[in-house]
């Protein structure tokens, strides 16, 4: 009898966990994969390949969650790029507010490893908040902002990220930087440097061409770029309400 009761309790517990994970997203949020599974995902804060060097609070899955209007606009961008054998790759989408607080706490903890310094080679991480690279209130938490890059579908797959390797900083030549398995935009994602400004002149013609392709496709479908980050775009008209629900695996 005790075994049967224990088994029943375990089954009920597993069902409760499954139900919690499968809860619908709030207020017109949607998993981007549900709209277009061809758009690639590399949600960097869900792993260790980012400027913090670990998973951020609230990032429990490699999933892009956005407001529906944002997702529909991204689908249009993807369709336009497909004709050029190019795909979008999502690097960050909706960001739980707790993750922004995690970033701020990290920037102020007084510790900085060489791996973390790769992303801000010109100054200390404690300056990131003052200089506006990190904010307590992020537009990502509204579901209106995305970070993304491009993948050349004709190119061979790049090497995997090795967390034990001492890569060069985010402004170094592509072969020396941490691999991102995407086109060479002139800097790594999340690079806090003037070379990461969308219109930077200190990059090669080929790198500028890729930036123009991304910028052109995104702006044609309503997105606005943040001029200091070639990867960051937002869609106007989304209410400025921040959310803090965790990013969980998309229900199958």
């Amino acid at each position: 009898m005790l075994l049967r009761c224990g088994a029943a309790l375990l089954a009920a517990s597993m069902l409760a966990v499954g139900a919690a994970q499968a809860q619908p997203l709030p207020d017109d949020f949607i998993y981007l994969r549900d709209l277009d599974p061809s758009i690639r995902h590399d949600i960097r804060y869900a792993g260790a390949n980012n400027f913090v060097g670990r998973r951020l609070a609230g990032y429990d899955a490699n999933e892009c969650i956005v407001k529906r209007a944002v997702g529909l606009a991204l689908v249009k961008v993807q369709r336009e790029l497909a004709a050029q054998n190019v795909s979008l790759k999502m690097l960050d989408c909706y960001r739980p507010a707790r993750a922004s607080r995690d970033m701020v706490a990290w920037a102020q903890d007084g510790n900085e490893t060489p791996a973390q310094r790769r992303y801000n080679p010109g100054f200390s991480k404690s300056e990131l908040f003052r200089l506006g690279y990190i904010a307590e209130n992020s537009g990502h938490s509204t579901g209106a902002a995305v970070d993304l890059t491009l993948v050349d579908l004709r190119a061979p797959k790049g090497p995997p990220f090795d967390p034990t390797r001492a890569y060069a900083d985010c402004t170094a030549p592509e072969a020396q930087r941490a691999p991102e398995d995407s086109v060479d935009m002139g800097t790594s994602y999340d690079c806090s440097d003037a070379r990461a400004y969308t219109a930077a002149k200190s990059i090669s013609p080929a790198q500028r061409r890729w930036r123009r392709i991304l910028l052109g496709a995104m702006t044609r479908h309503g997105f606005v770029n943040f001029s200091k980050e070639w990867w960051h775009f937002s869609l106007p008209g989304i209410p400025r309400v921040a959310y803090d629900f965790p990013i969980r695996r998309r229900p199958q």
Side-chain angles (χ1 to χ4, degrees):
M1 180 67 177
L2 288 175
L3 287 174
R4 288 199 298 273
C5 289
L9 286 171
L10 178 60
S13 175
M14 292 176 67
L15 285 172
V17 170
Q21 291 178 339
Q23 287 180 347
L25 298 173
D27 298 338
D28 207 34
F29 279 91
I30 191 167
Y31 286 95
L32 185 59
R33 293 189 207 270
D34 285 336
L35 293 179
D36 190 337
S38 75
I39 298 176
R40 299 194 179 190
H41 286 49
D42 182 15
I43 305 301
R44 298 282 288 275
Y45 302 137
N49 186 13
N50 58 60
F51 68 90
V52 177
R54 58 169 172 79
R55 182 184 66 83
L56 284 176
Y59 281 83
D60 299 334
N62 179 37
E63 294 288 356
C64 173
I65 297 172
V66 288
K67 286 287 189 171
R68 182 178 295 274
V70 175
L72 292 172
L74 288 170
V75 170
K76 293 178 181 178
V77 175
Q78 180 76 348
R79 289 174 181 168
E80 177 181 329
L81 293 171
Q84 305 173 58
N85 288 306
V86 172
S87 172
L88 293 175
K89 182 161 78 168
M90 312 309 299
L91 302 170
D92 193 27
C93 299
Y94 157 73
R95 179 184 304 165
R98 70 192 74 178
S100 294
R101 295 192 295 269
D102 197 0
M103 287 182 182
V104 172
W106 168 84
Q108 298 173 341
D109 68 9
N111 301 312
E112 188 165 27
T113 68
Q116 294 167 351
R117 192 60 180 267
R118 292 200 307 260
Y119 292 87
N120 51 294
F123 49 85
S124 166
K125 76 174 189 178
S126 62
E127 295 293 291
L128 290 171
F129 185 74
R130 182 183 66 81
L131 294 173
Y133 287 104
I134 294 176
E136 287 189 42
N137 301 304
S138 170
H140 282 277
S141 298
T142 69
V146 293
D147 295 342
L148 72 176
T149 188
L150 299 175
V151 175
D152 184 347
L153 298 176
R154 296 160 295 192
K157 185 173 177 59
F161 171 72
D162 180 355
T164 67
R165 182 175 168 184
Y167 295 107
D169 73 58
C170 60
T171 66
E174 182 186 26
Q176 300 173 26
R177 304 192 308 254
E180 299 188 309
D181 197 24
S182 53
V183 304
D184 182 8
M185 291 287 192
T187 73
S188 301
Y189 167 57
D190 260 352
C191 186
S192 300
D193 187 88
R195 293 184 191 179
Y197 291 9
T198 306
K201 303 298 184 184
S202 54
I203 58 175
S204 73
Q207 293 161 349
R208 284 196 294 272
R209 174 180 172 273
W210 282 120
R211 291 191 189 188
R212 285 196 299 269
I213 289 174
L214 177 61
L215 180 65
M218 293 294 285
T219 55
R220 279 191 290 275
H221 295 286
F223 288 95
V224 176
N225 173 246
F226 176 47
S227 64
K228 292 186 177 181
E229 298 177 348
W230 58 256
W231 55 83
H232 181 95
F233 293 83
S234 58
L235 190 69
I238 305 296
R240 298 288 297 176
V241 178
Y243 293 79
D244 195 29
F245 62 90
I247 299 170
R248 295 197 172 103
R249 189 169 62 184
R250 169 177 162 268
Q252 300 301 311

